[in-house]
Amino acid sequence: MTVVEPLSVRPPETAAEILGRAQALAPVLRDRAEEIERARRLPADVVDLLRGTGVFRMGFSHAHGGPELTSIEQTEVIEALAYGDAGAGWCAMIGSDTGLYASFLDHAVAAKMFPSLDMATAGLLFPNGRAEIVPGGYRLTGRWQFGSGVTHADWVVSGAFLYRDGEPEHDSILLMVPKADVEVLDTWHTTGLAGSGSCDYTITDVFVPAEHTLTFADVRGGSGPLAQPEVHMRNMPGVALGVARAALDFATDAGVSAGREDDYRTQTTLADCEGDFAAAREGVYGALRRQHEVLSAGGSLDDLTPRERAALPLSRRHAFRTARAIVTRLYDLVQTTAIYRPSPLDRWLRDTSTMCQHIVAQDRILQTAGAHLLGGRPAFPLALGITSSRR
């Protein structure tokens, strides 16, 4: 088993430090991947190791004392962790949104809610709950699916429709509650991504102060490239890219170990998959770089051309779909040795199949992007950072 050196008690301050710690942790995550999958959640000590990398703090701005990694740097960190284990990478991606949410809260409120920058947030943003308007805030009730990381989160954010005196207001809002106010249901029995612990959860008649709510249309505690409505979606492809890279390296090593350096099928399959991976990865990072150029110069998402705006969700979808295609082809290449559960290719096949069921990898993204290119009406506006809370 790989042994990781104890991390310094000093929290990381730079993107290079966080990425370096993530890369150092990846072999440990790989060694424990079977254990993580069996547990259907991250073990507590693995969560502590993730905290030690700084991944949960990387979205906090300098104003909050955080390292304020760019979306490009955040994606690289998630990619490095997913290289070790997809479930851990997925939980890191979700948990790292804490600092991003802080920009949509009043600065003083966020500072009080997150006394440590290494706190993780989980939850489902779609409005599956009911938030009754009451003096000073809301009474929240509902059940949500896909609470990735909810088994170890510090805060849980949930979407809910607004009600006043029992009547719908036809608006929705996001509400943040402490994990202690959440009941986790053991529902996560799935094809793949088992280690993400993406269980259903319920919240029953919990009072949520108004200051603990947010919408992505209202930036209250920040500015700049990270204080944007779709910021929480940008680093998602890091999971798919990390798994695809891991599968490629595994299959390449297996080919060398089996003496297939001169085997035509092995050569062409690996080369073709490498080409697909390079194109998908550049699509993600190219779109992120262009977005960062515009936003860091003081522009807004509206300053991107329709094609540049569409490139963001399209590159995400393409990364997920390409990762699944690469793993499937490598699974076929390795043949019978891939079918046994100790094989990481078996796990990666199931993990990529499961992550491709997420909305960001679905065909409705094509309609949304295509509508934007044509000046039409997107059916899923959140994919492009359109922020109206009306449903």
Side-chain angles (χ1 to χ4, degrees):
M1 177 178 289
T2 303
V3 177
V4 66
E5 291 296 322
L7 296 173
S8 168
V9 294
R10 181 185 64 82
E13 298 177 352
T14 67
E17 285 183 286
I18 295 174
L19 179 59
R21 292 188 184 192
Q23 291 169 334
L25 184 58
V28 179
L29 297 175
R30 181 73 58 82
D31 282 345
R32 299 190 61 179
E34 290 180 61
E35 173 196 352
I36 291 170
E37 184 173 50
R38 285 194 304 271
R40 294 182 297 110
R41 63 185 62 193
L42 298 187
D45 66 316
V46 171
V47 176
D48 288 340
L49 290 172
L50 286 176
R51 290 189 202 276
T53 67
V55 66
F56 295 146
R57 67 170 47 222
M58 66 182 181
F60 276 100
S61 68
H62 295 314
H64 282 286
E68 197 174 325
L69 270 62
T70 68
S71 296
I72 298 163
E73 293 165 338
Q74 292 176 36
T75 305
E76 291 173 334
V77 172
I78 300 303
E79 193 176 0
L81 292 168
Y83 185 87
D85 178 69
W90 193 271
C91 286
M93 176 266 294
I94 296 293
S96 69
D97 287 342
T98 307
L100 305 180
Y101 294 138
S103 294
F104 301 91
L105 300 165
D106 288 336
H107 183 90
V109 171
K112 187 174 180 179
M113 290 173 66
F114 313 125
S116 166
L117 301 186
D118 296 310
M119 300 175 76
T121 300
L124 182 72
L125 303 185
F126 288 102
N128 285 5
R130 174 173 176 149
E132 181 75 26
I133 299 171
V134 297
Y138 308 85
R139 304 295 308 189
L140 177 62
T141 296
R143 174 170 175 163
W144 294 261
Q145 290 181 293
F146 312 119
S148 302
V150 72
T151 55
H152 61 257
D154 301 291
W155 286 88
V156 177
V157 59
S158 306
F161 286 112
L162 295 179
Y163 283 75
R164 187 187 300 273
D165 298 325
E167 296 297 323
E169 290 276 291
H170 306 295
D171 282 327
S172 64
I173 198 169
L174 298 174
L175 305 96
M176 300 192 72
V177 303
K179 168 66 181 307
D181 292 331
V182 176
E183 180 183 1
V184 177
L185 307 177
D186 188 15
T187 56
W188 193 240
H189 300 269
T190 57
T191 301
L193 279 183
S196 68
S198 304
C199 298
D200 290 15
Y201 64 93
T202 62
I203 298 172
T204 305
D205 196 31
V206 170
F207 175 73
V208 183
E211 60 265 26
H212 289 183
T213 69
L214 62 123
T215 70
F216 291 125
D218 184 14
V219 178
R220 287 186 273 167
S223 61
L226 297 185
Q228 303 290 332
E230 42 56 82
V231 64
H232 59 288
M233 304 176 73
R234 296 181 197 164
N235 61 26
M236 292 185 71
V239 181
L241 293 173
V243 173
R245 181 71 264 165
L248 277 164
D249 289 350
F250 177 84
T252 301
D253 291 344
V256 172
S257 298
R260 294 178 181 168
E261 296 94 333
D262 296 319
D263 176 70
Y264 179 83
R265 183 188 176 211
T266 302
Q267 291 172 336
T268 56
T269 300
L270 285 173
D272 203 25
C273 288
E274 282 285 355
D276 287 346
F277 175 80
R281 190 174 190 272
E282 178 53 31
V284 168
Y285 284 101
L288 288 174
R289 283 194 296 269
R290 177 56 185 154
Q291 181 188 51
H292 184 72
E293 288 173 2
V294 171
L295 297 179
S296 62
S300 70
L301 293 173
D302 291 334
D303 293 316
L304 294 169
T305 67
R307 185 174 297 172
E308 290 169 341
R309 190 77 173 271
L312 294 160
L314 290 177
S315 64
R316 280 193 290 267
R317 178 185 178 276
H318 186 61
F320 278 92
R321 294 291 188 95
T322 300
R324 180 174 63 181
I326 288 172
V327 171
T328 300
R329 294 175 66 191
L330 296 178
Y331 186 91
D332 289 343
L333 177 66
V334 174
Q335 300 178 33
T336 55
T337 59
I339 69 174
Y340 295 99
R341 281 295 175 100
S343 167
L345 275 173
D346 169 78
R347 184 170 58 253
W348 291 326
L349 182 70
R350 290 180 285 107
D351 287 341
T352 54
S353 294
T354 299
M355 68 179 70
C356 277
Q357 305 315 305
H358 193 281
I359 187 62
V360 299
Q362 295 298 302
D363 286 346
R364 73 172 68 183
I365 299 301
L366 298 178
Q367 184 279 329
T368 299
H372 197 72
L373 290 170
L374 294 168
R377 180 176 182 143
F380 187 56
L382 183 59
L384 291 170
I386 301 170
T387 59
S388 174
S389 64
R390 290 213 176 263
R391 296 295 190 270

